[in-house]
Amino acid sequence: MNIFRLAGDVSHLVAIIILFLKIWRSQSCAGISGKSQVLFALVFTSRYLDLVTTFISVYNVVMKVVFLSLAYATVYLVYMRFRSTYNSENDSFRIEFLLVPVAGLSFLENYAFAPLEILWTFSIYLESVAILPQLFMITKTGEAESITTHYLFFLGLYRALYLANWVWRYNTEQFFDQIAVVSGVVQTIFYCDFFYLYVTRVLRGSGKMSLPMPV
């Protein structure tokens, strides 16, 4: 494992922990897209089914279990524990418009037509668009709390670091995973505008990140 992948995994974990602690400490899921969290839980579930069939390393097992646990714990907080604070009206992205094309694509474009392989491919494609309900919610409300933007920043950083990981692996191992790379690039593009707003507004001391109003 190279430093870029390790740093990417850490950034991913930090993002999820930030979100979980934000909801738990404030006892509120205001500004959080429950739909995005459900999609991420589905991503981890379909990707980590190999936990019961394949052992790679202790690190690999621990990280998978932690990601799964935190993903479902977050969904529980949003839809059960603090449901009264969940803003379903603003979390209105139609996720079937993501799930149906992603499911179809995973059957058409994969490395092997086998159940676990198709589910892994599905998870890669779905992860690239799972953040869209959250970004749509921010666009709809016009602003986001700084802690929510920190969560998004670390998610975007995780993707950027994984792109560096793939470049490193290509140069050192001649390894190239077309599905993962293309999906990762697509996901990173979704974060580009957010990164700009994050640096220019949140890191300069604003408590919330407000989107520019159209003229």
Side-chain angles (χ1 to χ4, degrees):
M1 179 184 298
N2 61 68
I3 187 63
F4 298 112
R5 179 171 179 178
L6 179 60
D9 287 345
V10 171
S11 296
H12 197 183
L13 182 59
V14 167
I16 297 173
I17 291 175
I18 284 175
L19 182 66
F20 181 83
L21 291 179
K22 181 267 181 189
I23 298 174
W24 183 259
R25 289 177 177 175
S26 66
Q27 297 188 10
S28 170
C29 55
I32 303 301
S33 169
K35 291 183 177 181
S36 271
Q37 297 312 308
V38 168
L39 292 179
F40 281 123
L42 186 56
V43 165
F44 296 138
T45 302
S46 55
R47 182 175 303 173
Y48 297 153
L49 288 173
D50 64 348
L51 271 172
V52 298
T53 62
T54 306
F55 176 80
I56 298 176
S57 67
V58 173
Y59 170 84
N60 184 270
V61 170
V62 169
M63 291 296 280
K64 288 179 178 180
V65 170
V66 169
F67 282 130
L68 279 167
S69 300
L70 286 174
Y72 279 99
T74 302
V75 170
Y76 167 76
L77 292 183
V78 172
Y79 286 103
M80 300 292 290
R81 185 67 178 268
F82 305 122
R83 185 175 182 175
S84 62
T85 66
Y86 170 54
N87 189 343
S88 59
E89 291 184 3
N90 287 326
D91 193 15
S92 57
F93 192 95
R94 300 283 297 277
I95 61 174
E96 61 268 29
F97 293 155
L98 301 178
L99 289 171
V100 173
V102 163
L105 187 60
S106 64
F107 276 94
L108 295 174
E109 291 292 334
N110 54 64
Y111 293 130
F113 201 77
L116 286 181
E117 186 65 33
I118 291 173
L119 286 169
W120 176 85
T121 305
F122 171 80
S123 77
I124 297 297
Y125 292 149
L126 183 59
E127 186 182 20
S128 69
V129 295
I131 199 61
L132 287 181
Q134 180 67 65
L135 297 178
F136 179 79
M137 189 175 187
I138 292 175
T139 302
K140 191 171 182 179
T141 59
E143 63 180 21
E145 295 181 6
S146 60
I147 194 70
T148 305
T149 61
H150 296 332
Y151 157 71
L152 291 172
F153 172 78
F154 277 101
L155 270 186
L157 181 61
Y158 143 66
R159 280 289 87 187
L161 287 167
Y162 255 64
L163 288 179
N165 160 64
W166 292 321
V167 171
W168 176 272
R169 293 192 65 183
Y170 180 76
N171 288 324
T172 60
E173 306 171 24
Q174 284 70 56
F175 175 83
F176 181 75
D177 186 333
Q178 180 177 333
I179 290 175
V181 171
V182 172
S183 298
V185 170
V186 170
Q187 188 176 359
T188 304
I189 290 173
F190 287 139
Y191 286 97
C192 287
D193 186 51
F194 166 80
F195 280 149
Y196 172 76
L197 293 174
Y198 181 86
V199 172
T200 58
R201 301 189 181 204
V202 176
L203 295 185
R204 291 183 180 179
S206 174
K208 293 185 177 182
M209 182 183 75
S210 298
L211 299 180
M213 298 302 293
V215 178

